[in-house]
Amino acid sequence: MPARTAKTPLSRERILAAATAVADAEGLAAVTMRRVAEALDCEAMSLYYYVKDKSQLLSGLVETVIDQIIAETLAGADQSGPQELSQSGSNPSTADWREVVRTRCLGARKVMLRHPWAPSLVAGTAVVPPNTYLVFEALVGTMIEAGFSYETAHRAIHSLGSMLMGFTQEIFEPDAADDGTTAEEMAAMAAAFPHLGALAGSVTHDQTDSLGVCDTQSEFEFTLNLVLNGLDGFRGND
Amino acid sequence: MPARTAKTPLSRERILAAATAVADAEGLAAVTMRRVAEALDCEAMSLYYYVKDKSQLLSGLVETVIDQIIAETLAGADQSGPQELSQSGSNPSTADWREVVRTRCLGARKVMLRHPWAPSLVAGTAVVPPNTYLVFEALVGTMIEAGFSYETAHRAIHSLGSMLMGFTQEIFEPDAADDGTTAEEMAAMAAAFPHLGALAGSVTHDQTDSLGVCDTQSEFEFTLNLVLNGLDGFRGND
DNA sequence: ACGATTCATCTTACGTCGTAAGAAAGGACC
DNA sequence: GGTCCTTTCTTACGACGTAAGATGAATCGT
């Protein structure tokens, strides 16, 4: 028998999966055509038969993440029709729209935490892939059904969307001990920023998840509740 | 006289200013060592005398933006001492902390709109420059003075910070007519996403600012008010 | 005044990246 | 077997970040 086993053929899906794996394991900067090709045991130029560009590869990565969000938050409800919760059996009472949306946002965040490179990718990409609209459609549907106006639903897309993308990765990390800051620099900072010093002393930074040290789940949920409760005040009011 | 006029010497400041100008005019991708050097009428390697790395140049860009935010929102109050509004003459009544913070957030946003590349740069940068702490210090100071706990102030940093960074650039743009989407694709989309179709019809997209088509000022202010009002409920409550 | 030293800038070169152009290896079909 | 697609690979080019060190200009000790 020949020593060389037949390779499984390439495909856009296989390429995107490999690129996602590389990004997860080695970061976005490691996602080069040559590196992805190596992960697929082929040459870099072979990828161009399935993706036009590197930028299209990156858009495909965004698409992949959105697909995972859809799978996580709208499981099994979307392929039967556009509306998902509104026409299924248990019509949610307009009161608990918040629970529905909160659950979806937390699911989306769960996916983002699996792919910490996603926010910066979305930030650098001009166009959002079409499958994003499915997520928005579900959100708008839920809110319209709960008694919101289209204008408020539109604003909710922006509020919740920027919350999810607004990663705040490491935006505030009081004890950055591993970089080159010396002890006296730390002391000078503590003197210059008394409130931050007091804050660092009073806030317990126990939980560290993968989207930076300070972006803990509880802080995300706090802001999420803030937005959801605020939005609820607009229900049926315009 | 010799024809060659003496060039003004390089400096970190001049380099960062040139890099900012290039980024503003041609986008982040155009910020290469050679391109920045060309803007300064020198060679690429000359930059390395003032910045260690390209990544350090990019960090410097973030620093520049934050400096502009400081100048815009904390004008003249910071160099006299760490606290700014808390010890100045007109002690703001605890009721209008929202106005103070809102004004600062809008000022920060104004700066971000001048540099649309800033969010993606922050998203891709691991460490936030030290001058960011000055912004946070002012926010925490204002909130503590208004009767908030340190924990709530900490959460406010995250809420407002992710709002500001959460740009949502072009995250939702119903009429993307300029790309390759054909008319039948548009029709298919409208059929697949009825709520989004209705939304696109009902929402007037008149104002287009530079951070994408849909991220209008009013949507930003709406979410900002949502967050500020929500935070206000925690004043003195824990 | 003048060699030595330090500072600031430039020259050259290397490895890596995205990717254009087209050759080569299969299969499928006549 | 020959012809034609489909899929993959080879080679090559220009742009990028930057290491190594040369080059000119300023400063200084004596």
Side-chain angles (χ1 to χ4, degrees), chain A residues 36-110:
Chain A
V36 172
E38 181 193 317
L40 290 165
D41 195 27
C42 71
E43 299 304 312
M45 289 310 289
S46 304
L47 306 180
Y48 285 88
Y49 191 79
Y50 301 95
V51 298
K52 180 185 155 298
D53 252 343
K54 187 189 177 183
S55 74
Q56 214 178 74
L57 200 170
L58 295 182
S59 304
L61 282 190
V62 177
E63 204 183 303
T64 298
V65 172
I66 308 262
D67 275 341
Q68 292 183 17
I69 289 178
I70 291 171
E72 179 79 33
T73 66
L74 308 173
D78 52 290
Q79 72 271 24
S80 62
Q83 292 97 339
E84 45 104 30
L85 272 164
S86 56
Q87 65 185 17
S88 64
S90 67
N91 193 343
S93 81
T94 60
D96 61 353
W97 74 275
R98 268 179 287 188
E99 275 314 312
V100 173
V101 173
R102 188 201 330 275
T103 303
R104 285 194 209 143
C105 288
L106 292 176
R109 175 178 159 84
K110 210 166 95 183

Side-chain angles (χ1 to χ4, degrees), chain A residues 123 159 162 166 168-169 195 219 223, chain B residues 123 137 154 159 162 166 169 195 223:
Chain A
S159 301
S162 54
T168 62
Q169 51 191 6
H195 284 118
E219 289 156 21
T223 306
Chain B
E137 174 74 14
H154 172 229
S159 300
S162 55
Q169 50 192 6
H195 284 117
T223 307

Side-chain angles (χ1 to χ4, degrees), chain A residues 84-86 92 94 97-98 100-101 104 136-160 227-228 230-236, chain B residues 195 199 222 226:
Chain A
E84 45 104 30
L85 272 164
S86 56
T94 60
W97 74 275
R98 268 179 287 188
V100 173
V101 173
R104 285 194 209 143
F136 292 160
E137 173 75 14
L139 173 62
V140 174
T142 301
M143 291 191 69
I144 292 299
E145 191 187 350
F148 288 94
S149 70
Y150 277 108
E151 176 164 5
T152 305
H154 172 228
R155 284 171 162 170
I157 289 178
H158 282 281
S159 301
L160 298 172
V227 171
L228 292 179
L231 283 170
D232 197 56
F234 288 84
R235 228 170 71 236
Chain B
H195 284 117
L199 192 156
F222 172 83
L226 230 55

Side-chain angles (χ1 to χ4, degrees), chain A residues 81-83 86 119-120 122-128 130-134 136-137 140-142 144-145 150-159 161-163 165-174 176 179 189 191-199 202-203 205 214-216 218-219 222-223 226-228 230-231 234, chain B residues 81-83 86 119-120 122-128 130-134 136-137 140-142 144-145 150-159 161-163 165-174 176 179 189 191-199 202-203 205 214-216 218-219 222-223 226-228 230-231 234:
Chain A
Q83 292 97 339
S86 56
S120 67
V122 174
T125 306
V127 185
V128 161
N131 54 354
T132 314
Y133 290 126
L134 210 155
F136 292 160
E137 173 75 14
V140 174
T142 301
I144 292 299
E145 191 187 350
Y150 277 108
E151 176 164 5
T152 305
H154 172 228
R155 284 171 162 170
I157 289 178
H158 282 281
S159 301
S162 54
M163 249 207 65
M165 288 295 113
F167 43 91
T168 62
Q169 51 191 6
E170 315 207 15
I171 238 183
F172 184 54
E173 180 178 354
D179 62 14
M189 259 191 42
F193 306 130
H195 284 118
L196 292 186
L199 192 157
S202 76
V203 175
H205 273 283
C214 216
D215 185 19
T216 62
S218 73
E219 289 156 21
F222 173 82
T223 306
L226 231 55
V227 171
L228 292 179
L231 283 170
F234 288 84
Chain B
Q83 292 99 337
S86 56
S120 67
V122 174
T125 306
V127 185
V128 162
N131 54 354
T132 313
Y133 291 125
L134 209 154
F136 292 159
E137 174 74 14
V140 174
T142 301
I144 292 299
E145 191 187 349
Y150 276 108
E151 176 164 5
T152 305
H154 172 229
R155 285 171 162 171
I157 289 178
H158 283 281
S159 300
S162 55
M163 250 208 64
M165 288 295 113
F167 43 91
T168 61
Q169 50 192 6
E170 315 205 14
I171 239 183
F172 184 53
E173 181 178 353
D179 61 14
M189 259 190 43
F193 306 130
H195 284 117
L196 291 186
L199 192 156
S202 75
V203 174
H205 273 281
C214 214
D215 186 17
T216 62
S218 73
E219 289 156 21
F222 172 83
T223 307
L226 230 55
V227 171
L228 292 178
L231 284 170
F234 288 86

